[in-house]
Amino acid sequence: MWKFTIRRILIMIPQIILLSVLIFALAKMMPGDALSGMVDPNVDPERLEEIRDKLGWNDPWHVQYADWVGGLVQGDLGQSFRFKMPVTELVGERIVNTFWLSIATLFFTYLIAIPLGITSGRYNDTWLDQSITSYTYIGFATPLFIFALVMLWVFGFMLGWFPTSGSVSPGLQPGTFEYVMSKITHLILPAISMALITTVSTVQYLRSEIIDTKQKDFILTARAKGASETRVYNRHILRNSLLPIAAFLGFEITGLIGGTVFIETIFGYPGMGLLFFESIQLRDYSVVTAVVLLFGIASILGALLSDIILSLVDPRIRIK
Amino acid sequence: MSEKLLEIKNLKTSFRIKDDYFAAVDDLSLSVNKNEVLAVVGESGCGKSALAFSVMGLHTRAKIDGNIMFKDRDIAHMSPSELNKLRGKEMGMIFQDPLTSLNPLMEVGEQIGETLFLHNKALSKEKRKEKIIDLLNKVGIPRPETVFNQFPHELSGGMRQRVMIAMAIANEPELLIADEPTTALDVTIQSQILELINELKDDMDAGIILITHDLGVVAEMADRVAVMYAGQIVEIADVHTLFENPKHPYTRSLLNSVPNANEAQDKLHVIQGIVPALQNLPREGCRFKARIPWIEDSAHEEHPELHEISPGHFVRCTCYKDFDFPESEEEKHGVS
Amino acid sequence: MAFLDVENLKVHFPIKGGIFGRTVDHVRAVDGVSLSLEKGTTYGLVGESGSGKTTTGRAIIGLNNITSGKVTFEGKDITNLRRARADFRKDVQMIFQDPYSSLNPKKRVIDIVAEPLRNYENLSKKEERKRVQELMELVGLSPESILKYPHEFSGGQRQRIGIARAIALKPKLIIADEPVSALDVSVQAQVLNFMQDIQKELDLTYLFIGHDLGVIKHMCDKIGIMYKGRYVEEGTASDIFDDPQHIYTKRLVAAIPDIDPKKRDEQRQFRQEVKAEYEQSYNDYFDDEGLAYPLQSISDTHKVALPEKG
């Protein structure tokens, strides 16, 4: 088990290095830089070249890469041209917001998926199951950004139940009860909007796991022991079906990343996704690379988490 | 000796295919006595497993008619909660494949413990563990304390089947159903498991229904044998009569088609045609008629009954009287 | 020179371990097996699960990599299949255990049976169809059924489709890996009889891998018994069944259920004796690792794995 975990973590190192090289190359290939378009066109182009020289943008690529990685290791992600502050600081603020948004989304995802998946799997091919599967098909077919816009419009503007942008109401003192409550109310609508769409794959996964487990021979054994249907479900079917779902968690995190870009943009929620979107528009590449790198690392960690959970919960992998 | 433990009367177990119900077990009656091994033999599709599942009430979507009297209570029409008080306590079952029949994510001890817990909730955890270790010892598992905390995949096939048996006999059932208990096992393991079942039988004074397709296993284990074809019993007799003096064409054909390690045979007998699918079973007349086309129609009964030709020896239909194997079997391997 | 010669065949599978997944050890699935087949005969390879019998068969036909040893077919070295001539692959075919999973359910019978023909022979559509129909007739299935799909056939019929595919290229050797284990007894009889018939007709040689000693005895001229990747005994059917020498063979033979219920007690007693002997003399028959010793000849046909005297 420990060997497996350590090996799995070691595999991550080349993955992260490869990721950093890729991101660096992509950033360099992007047209223009932070100076193009942002600076008064009357400034002498030679002066711009000088600035570029000074910033090291004309060095050979490997020197630039080494500088960049050197900075990363020390926690320096570069300078944001748009916000005129270190990227690390900028990201630090946003990452907390995105973290809480993700946690809330995951919470709602499972809150919806587990009861729906269980009902659908247990009573498969009844009208109840059919309506749940219909919902999952609609969920698969609906684009997240359109659904989020509708949610925002209905619950944010028309009914006015939830705030329509930001992560907290202005003027509140951090640490106070009102501040925390405000943070939570700002989270709920974007999190539910995203969860309602992303949960459908988990619902379907859980449903098919349960239907699959139901037909296993050991379920017959359990019935032959005299276990009641409820016990058969709780002890044997659910337990065995929920384990793969737990392992699915890591991949769920990867899926969240794409979602946050849309959700944060639509809800004006100041997190990593919104930052990413804005930075691209402003060609603030040091921020874009930093965000993409962090997203990439989060995905790799998600996959790692999945593998570790799976090896923890499944004795067939755990004991070797 | 012959105290009746289980009496099945006119059992009909039907499955739904499209819009109709088809009987996999069709008007079957038989009884099992205490301390008796009744073997039910037949090929796949004959209804022998459907019979075993009906007795245990394991069919979730079948229509069951007739009566299954277990100690004077009809278990065919019992409520699930009443049935659950019997299953695992007074009736135990051993399945064919011990690997898939054990929960892969549960420790062996917990799985056996569940049977004990379900029927005696007052038993303390320590007492239960003691009992489980006893059971593991009883079924011949070495190092029971270790095995207690192991998962099924850590055990060999033979050990897994021993665990299944421990589970089935945990509450000392009066009726044990073994559905092909050794089919998935190697031959040396098979003989050990059969030996174990034999020992336990003498110990427990239980009635055993042994479902199998292996005539060798029948010859070694059974007291009485019921041969099933197409959902019906075609012949039933005590084991010696059945092997020495088989009557029904199907029984005789089966016995002739087994390659025997103890005597050389030139050619094996082949039964013509195939076992029809459930929805195509012949429901009128002798169901074996199509497989012995050289026997004249008049030899068969219109409504074949079981005839008692000697005490305890029943044969269905009258065609056995005229039956003989064809002399020249050009189509030994049967053109289909 | 025999028809098929296998000399000191070893198939080892690496066990990966440690943090870097290096090979820390090997599973010796087949550990020094030698056998030779005469043309037109049936050789039975018997053992319990994990004995390496299937791996041996698969290694000969090239489905498992050979670690060391030599396989000669009609005098030609075919150990390394990539270098071997293409006709070896034509000459040696395999029949698999499970007729339900070894046929592609999405293909029609004509495509399944014609597949080897398409690989090795350039036939026109019409010729191909005719050949497939002939093959179907040969295996006792109606030539009209070539447009059906596998699920429309019964287990025994499917196994015969598998055989039709195997004999399509007129092979000389067929490796049959538990060909009847998944079948009911009456269907099993059908397939076994049929295998014997086409053996005579096409002068086939069989390597018959199985665990059912009744079937093996019925089919085979010569039998090899494997245990943990090695041979424990080899001989004719009567050598093995009437005069078993190795304790493992004795135990295997004793375990076969007797079809005569009268011999029940006798059989039980015999088993007890063999069991006692097995436990008592285990160390005389197996080395420190619990593996069999090299084979020693005790008669022209009979070889037993015994420690060297002295």
Side-chain angles (χ1 to χ4, degrees):
Chain A
M1 168 64 209
W2 281 112
K3 272 189 193 157
F4 170 80
T5 312
I6 293 169
R7 218 170 87 203
R8 191 60 191 72
I9 290 171
L10 285 178
I11 292 171
M12 268 175 58
I13 294 172
Q15 282 178 333
I16 290 177
I17 292 173
L18 190 69
L19 176 77
S20 72
V21 171
L22 270 174
I23 289 170
F24 180 76
L26 282 174
K28 286 296 133 187
M29 281 192 299
M30 281 197 256
D33 56 39
L35 292 183
S36 44
M38 288 297 291
V39 187
D40 186 342
N42 297 322
V43 174
D44 184 4
E46 279 179 30
R47 169 74 188 130
L48 287 184
E49 265 319 291
E50 242 174 72
I51 299 174
R52 288 194 171 113
D53 253 353
K54 218 177 86 192
L55 290 169
W57 292 355
N58 289 332
D59 289 347
W61 70 269
H62 56 270
V63 177
Q64 291 190 42
Y65 177 72
D67 279 351
W68 182 62
V69 171
L72 289 184
V73 174
Q74 291 160 30
D76 176 12
L77 295 165
Q79 278 284 326
S80 162
F81 288 89
R82 164 85 194 325
F83 296 94
K84 308 277 185 271
M85 61 198 284
V87 178
T88 317
E89 218 168 284
L90 185 64
V91 165
E93 219 172 78
R94 303 291 190 104
I95 211 164
V96 178
N97 283 337
T98 298
F99 175 77
W100 286 115
L101 178 63
S102 304
I103 294 289
T105 308
L106 278 179
F107 172 75
F108 287 119
T109 300
Y110 287 109
L111 194 70
I112 300 165
I114 290 173
L116 289 193
I118 289 172
T119 317
S120 193
R122 177 163 181 176
Y123 305 104
N124 66 312
D125 298 329
T126 59
W127 64 269
L128 205 60
D129 169 45
Q130 272 158 10
S131 33
I132 292 170
T133 21
S134 308
Y135 157 60
T136 64
Y137 289 137
I138 293 168
F140 275 124
T142 313
L144 176 60
F145 62 95
I146 291 181
F147 179 71
L149 276 174
V150 172
M151 292 288 281
L152 179 66
W153 183 62
V154 173
F155 294 99
F157 290 102
M158 282 182 59
L159 298 171
W161 291 355
F162 297 100
T164 54
S165 78
S167 72
V168 67
S169 306
L172 290 171
Q173 272 303 313
T176 60
F177 177 71
E178 285 78 14
Y179 181 83
V180 175
M181 283 315 288
S182 166
K183 276 264 179 196
I184 291 173
T185 47
H186 279 83
L187 267 180
I188 289 174
L189 190 58
I192 288 184
S193 305
M194 184 146 65
L196 278 170
I197 296 294
T198 54
T199 196
V200 294
S201 54
T202 316
V203 173
Q204 288 226 332
Y205 190 32
L206 184 55
R207 174 182 184 267
S208 59
E209 275 297 326
I210 288 178
I211 293 176
D212 200 41
T213 315
K214 257 184 3 186
Q215 289 156 355
K216 292 275 166 67
D217 288 348
F218 63 82
I219 300 305
L220 286 176
T221 309
R223 292 207 177 101
K225 283 177 186 177
S228 65
E229 269 320 90
T230 319
R231 192 181 164 91
V232 168
Y233 268 91
N234 294 340
R235 280 286 163 143
H236 295 274
I237 297 179
L238 270 190
R239 190 157 132 179
N240 289 51
S241 313
L242 281 174
L243 294 185
I245 301 294
F248 203 52
L249 174 76
F251 297 107
E252 205 87 62
I253 291 172
T254 317
L256 279 177
I257 292 168
T260 52
V261 177
F262 289 117
I263 287 290
E264 291 182 3
T265 308
I266 287 162
F267 287 90
Y269 185 86
M272 297 286 282
L274 184 60
L275 181 64
F276 178 71
F277 187 74
E278 289 170 346
S279 314
I280 288 186
Q281 282 185 320
L282 299 165
R283 298 217 178 101
D284 199 347
Y285 292 145
S286 47
V287 180
V288 175
T289 44
V291 174
V292 173
L293 183 71
L294 289 173
F295 279 168
I297 290 173
S299 303
I300 291 172
L301 284 174
L304 171 77
L305 191 66
S306 276
D307 282 0
I308 291 178
I309 293 177
L310 193 66
S311 70
L312 270 177
V313 296
D314 194 331
R316 285 163 296 190
I317 300 177
R318 187 169 67 213
I319 302 153
K320 239 184 122 183
Chain B
M1 133 106 194
S2 56
E3 192 184 333
K4 260 187 198 145
L5 181 68
L6 181 82
E7 187 162 25
I8 299 172
K9 286 183 208 153
N10 308 99
L11 176 71
K12 190 168 178 176
T13 303
S14 318
F15 296 103
R16 194 178 171 150
I17 299 170
K18 290 189 183 124
D19 291 322
D20 280 313
Y21 279 95
F22 295 93
V25 178
D26 205 350
D27 195 21
L28 179 142
S29 302
L30 60 79
S31 63
V32 183
N33 298 328
K34 274 192 170 174
N35 198 14
E36 174 189 58
V37 179
L38 173 78
V40 180
V41 207
E43 297 182 280
S44 29
C46 72
K48 59 189 191 299
S49 281
L51 167 67
F53 277 43
S54 304
V55 175
M56 284 300 282
L58 291 175
H59 289 304
T60 43
R61 294 190 178 181
K63 196 172 92 185
I64 294 187
D65 301 300
N67 309 91
I68 304 171
M69 307 302 292
F70 177 65
K71 299 201 295 182
D72 299 325
R73 279 176 296 175
D74 188 359
I75 52 177
H77 305 285
M78 237 178 202
S79 73
S81 62
E82 270 181 293
L83 191 58
N84 279 335
K85 282 182 205 147
L86 291 180
R87 293 197 285 207
K89 185 167 168 54
E90 289 172 51
M91 310 190 288
M93 184 153 177
I94 307 166
F95 295 89
Q96 173 170 352
D97 186 348
L99 179 59
T100 58
S101 301
L102 290 166
N103 189 334
L105 304 182
M106 239 189 224
E107 289 172 9
V108 164
E110 192 183 348
Q111 301 202 42
I112 301 175
E114 190 176 20
T115 319
L116 294 171
F117 170 79
L118 284 167
H119 300 285
N120 185 1
K121 301 213 163 78
L123 201 67
S124 73
K125 225 177 154 192
E126 293 72 37
K127 277 262 155 45
R128 210 185 309 147
K129 180 163 182 177
E130 233 170 74
K131 186 116 196 261
I132 295 165
I133 303 279
D134 273 356
L135 279 164
L136 288 172
N137 262 323
K138 201 168 174 183
V139 295
I141 287 182
R143 297 173 294 106
E145 277 87 2
T146 320
V147 172
F148 185 89
N149 290 105
Q150 278 181 314
F151 289 94
H153 70 276
E154 296 173 82
L155 305 175
S156 69
M159 287 299 142
R160 282 183 210 132
Q161 195 59 299
R162 284 173 197 266
V163 170
M164 282 300 294
I165 294 175
M167 211 150 43
I169 61 161
N171 292 312
E172 285 160 22
E174 288 165 66
L175 177 69
L176 189 64
I177 300 176
D179 185 8
E180 305 264 9
T182 57
T183 307
L185 304 175
D186 279 322
V187 57
T188 50
I189 310 295
Q190 161 169 297
S191 77
Q192 291 166 16
I193 296 290
L194 294 179
E195 192 60 47
L196 173 67
I197 295 177
N198 256 330
E199 280 167 25
L200 293 171
K201 179 194 85 173
D202 295 342
D203 244 41
M204 296 191 310
D205 194 28
I208 298 180
I209 301 180
L210 176 70
I211 310 278
T212 181
H213 70 276
D214 188 332
L215 292 163
V217 171
V218 175
E220 296 236 333
M221 298 287 291
D223 297 315
R224 270 194 312 139
V225 188
V227 181
M228 273 185 86
Y229 181 79
Q232 294 181 323
I233 290 177
V234 292
E235 184 160 4
I236 185 163
D238 74 87
V239 67
H240 296 285
T241 313
L242 193 98
F243 279 86
E244 273 161 42
N245 193 14
K247 286 291 181 204
H248 195 276
Y250 182 60
T251 316
R252 293 177 61 189
S253 305
L254 265 190
L255 284 166
N256 265 356
S257 62
V258 190
N260 189 342
N262 298 315
E263 55 192 82
Q265 297 135 294
D266 187 26
K267 275 274 179 182
L268 301 169
H269 175 69
V270 169
I271 306 174
Q272 284 193 19
I274 56 163
V275 178
L278 184 55
Q279 59 271 46
N280 304 328
L281 280 189
R283 305 275 170 194
E284 300 284 318
C286 179
R287 296 186 178 192
F288 198 60
K289 193 166 140 187
R291 317 270 323 249
I292 42 171
W294 64 92
I295 301 298
E296 278 180 37
D297 278 6
S298 58
H300 296 283
E301 254 175 306
E302 204 174 321
H303 301 288
E305 298 280 332
L306 279 173
H307 306 281
E308 187 161 19
I309 57 167
S310 64
H313 188 177
F314 294 85
V315 184
R316 192 175 293 275
C317 193
T318 45
C319 59
Y320 74 91
K321 290 180 187 156
D322 294 332
F323 177 76
D324 217 336
F325 294 112
E327 271 184 29
S328 97
E329 282 190 75
E330 268 311 308
E331 297 300 310
K332 261 290 185 185
H333 49 81
V335 174
S336 326
Chain C
M1 178 59 68
F3 182 64
L4 176 81
D5 249 316
V6 177
E7 264 172 70
N8 204 16
L9 178 78
K10 289 187 182 175
V11 181
H12 294 181
F13 298 115
I15 304 171
K16 303 273 184 197
I19 288 171
F20 296 102
R22 280 164 311 176
T23 304
V24 289
D25 203 354
H26 285 92
V27 177
R28 294 176 179 80
V30 180
D31 198 22
V33 160
S34 303
L35 58 95
S36 65
L37 269 73
E38 298 301 331
K39 194 161 174 50
T41 62
T42 303
Y43 188 102
L45 203 51
V46 192
E48 298 189 284
S49 37
S51 62
K53 57 186 192 300
T54 295
T55 313
T56 305
R58 292 174 61 94
I60 292 171
I61 203 173
L63 293 171
N64 280 128
N65 286 326
I66 293 172
T67 309
S68 73
K70 197 172 157 196
V71 182
T72 339
F73 179 68
E74 292 189 305
K76 290 174 202 79
D77 186 350
I78 52 142
T79 313
N80 192 333
L81 254 192
R82 281 189 197 92
R83 278 189 280 115
R85 298 169 314 143
D87 21 326
F88 167 71
R89 266 176 273 177
K90 240 178 92 171
D91 287 342
V92 183
Q93 293 290 330
M94 192 148 183
I95 304 173
F96 296 93
Q97 171 172 5
D98 188 353
Y100 295 90
S101 61
S102 58
L103 301 181
N104 185 339
K106 296 195 187 84
K107 282 190 173 174
R108 287 174 309 180
V109 169
I110 181 165
D111 297 315
I112 292 170
V113 177
E115 196 197 323
L117 292 171
R118 286 173 192 165
N119 290 340
Y120 290 96
E121 280 171 39
N122 261 326
L123 296 175
S124 71
K125 277 272 161 240
K126 227 175 131 186
E127 285 169 329
E128 181 188 288
R129 202 185 173 91
K130 200 168 151 260
R131 275 285 290 282
V132 173
Q133 285 176 331
E134 282 168 11
L135 285 164
M136 291 295 277
E137 230 166 313
L138 191 63
V139 299
L141 295 170
S142 113
E144 288 83 56
S145 57
I146 56 169
L147 294 178
K148 289 188 181 169
Y149 289 88
H151 69 86
E152 296 173 68
F153 294 88
S154 69
Q157 288 173 328
R158 274 189 236 210
Q159 196 57 298
R160 280 191 267 163
I161 294 170
I163 295 174
R165 174 175 61 182
I167 60 174
L169 294 168
K170 303 203 172 71
K172 295 171 179 162
L173 171 67
I174 288 184
I175 297 176
D177 185 9
E178 307 247 13
V180 293
S181 303
L183 305 175
D184 272 318
V185 276
S186 71
V187 184
Q188 165 180 300
Q190 212 173 62
V191 172
L192 292 179
N193 284 351
F194 170 67
M195 282 180 72
Q196 286 178 329
D197 291 345
I198 57 164
Q199 178 167 39
K200 278 186 216 129
E201 225 160 294
L202 304 173
D203 194 24
L204 287 171
T205 309
Y206 289 129
L207 178 62
F208 196 106
I209 300 166
H211 71 274
D212 185 326
L213 291 160
V215 172
I216 292 283
K217 189 182 180 191
H218 178 74
M219 293 294 286
C220 303
D221 305 296
K222 214 170 170 190
I223 297 164
I225 313 258
M226 281 184 78
Y227 176 69
K228 287 191 182 168
R230 293 192 184 172
Y231 259 45
V232 294
E233 194 156 353
E234 187 194 43
T236 61
S238 74
D239 288 337
I240 298 291
F241 286 93
D242 305 334
D243 185 26
Q245 291 298 312
H246 198 280
I247 187 64
Y248 181 75
T249 316
K250 281 186 201 167
R251 199 155 165 246
L252 210 57
V253 172
I256 311 170
D258 198 304
I259 201 143
D260 186 353
K262 272 183 300 192
K263 292 194 188 144
R264 205 183 268 183
D265 294 326
E266 202 181 304
Q267 189 75 7
R268 195 169 297 167
Q269 179 128 27
F270 176 54
R271 246 172 240 161
Q272 300 261 314
E273 284 164 23
V274 173
K275 193 182 170 204
E277 192 188 342
Y278 182 83
E279 276 157 13
Q280 206 176 21
S281 61
Y282 184 85
N283 290 331
D284 301 342
Y285 287 97
F286 297 101
D287 65 14
D288 301 338
E289 289 176 79
L291 298 173
Y293 291 106
L295 289 177
Q296 317 269 335
S297 280
I298 60 163
S299 79
D300 286 352
T301 53
H302 201 166
K303 289 179 189 164
V304 189
L306 292 173
E308 279 170 69
K309 295 277 182 305

